[in-house]
Amino acid sequence: MNEQQIADIARRHTGAYGQEELMILIRALLEYVPAESTIVEIGRQYGCSTSAILAVARERSYRIYCIDPFTFEETGKQNDVGPAFLRTALSFKVPFSVLAMRSSEALAYVPKEIDMVHIDGDHSKEGVTIAASFIFVMMRHCSMISS
């Protein structure tokens, strides 16, 4: 994938992430995460970073697990971005799994060896610490963490 292709993907999927942030994520995937790796994304709200990961997954045959409770923290009610996220994600025609639960509940459903985790859920120090603490035990040697 060349720089123009990376920029094109990033431009198409900006939203909560800016184009430069998505380009950094895509470059990191291409450089550090080998083909057929297992990637876990914690928090996917509108799917900007997920879209970038899925775009690279087409070439790399990644196994992708997206973890998000699909609720608004304040009310506990379902949010409306889940269906829009799924429509976008399915358009990549890449297999992925969605775990509609908190990361602390998802431990039993993700593979025991993870190559990359992208933590983009609860941005509080406590939230990131909880997500990271359970996922670190499952990471392969020389894995990658992005946030």
Side-chain angles (χ1 to χ4, degrees):
M1 190 175 292
N2 63 39
E3 278 299 307
Q4 185 59 51
Q5 291 169 313
I6 291 170
D8 289 344
I9 292 167
R11 187 173 31 262
R12 284 193 308 270
H13 301 291
T14 57
Y17 279 75
Q19 183 175 342
E20 187 57 36
E21 288 175 299
L22 287 176
M23 290 176 69
I24 290 167
L25 175 59
I26 294 166
R27 286 187 202 113
L29 288 164
L30 293 169
E31 186 171 344
Y32 300 111
V33 184
E36 300 182 12
S37 290
T38 299
I39 298 174
V40 173
E41 180 177 35
I42 298 174
R44 48 93 236 127
Q45 193 169 10
Y46 298 105
C48 296
S49 57
T50 308
S51 294
I53 294 168
L54 289 168
V56 177
R58 270 195 293 227
E59 292 186 11
R60 297 287 182 97
S61 301
Y62 293 149
R63 290 173 301 282
I64 301 168
Y65 295 81
C66 302
I67 301 170
D68 196 293
F70 289 89
T71 59
F72 288 117
E73 289 298 318
E74 304 81 33
T75 63
K77 295 182 179 177
Q78 283 303 110
N79 67 32
D80 60 351
V81 297
F85 161 76
L86 288 174
R87 278 191 302 277
T88 300
L90 289 169
S91 72
F92 286 93
K93 298 183 179 3
V94 174
F96 64 95
S97 298
V98 174
L99 302 172
M101 60 190 70
R102 300 187 67 72
S103 56
S104 58
E105 301 165 327
L107 183 61
Y109 302 99
V110 296
K112 299 304 175 210
E113 293 188 338
I114 297 170
D115 299 289
M116 178 195 171
V117 62
H118 181 70
I119 300 173
D120 191 24
D122 178 350
H123 294 274
S124 70
K125 181 179 179 181
E126 179 184 10
V128 172
T129 301
I130 290 169
S133 66
F134 100 85
I135 212 85
F136 283 153
V137 299
M138 301 169 75
M139 303 233 5
R140 294 180 202 242
H141 181 68
C142 296
S143 298
M144 181 179 149
I145 300 170
S146 66
S147 176

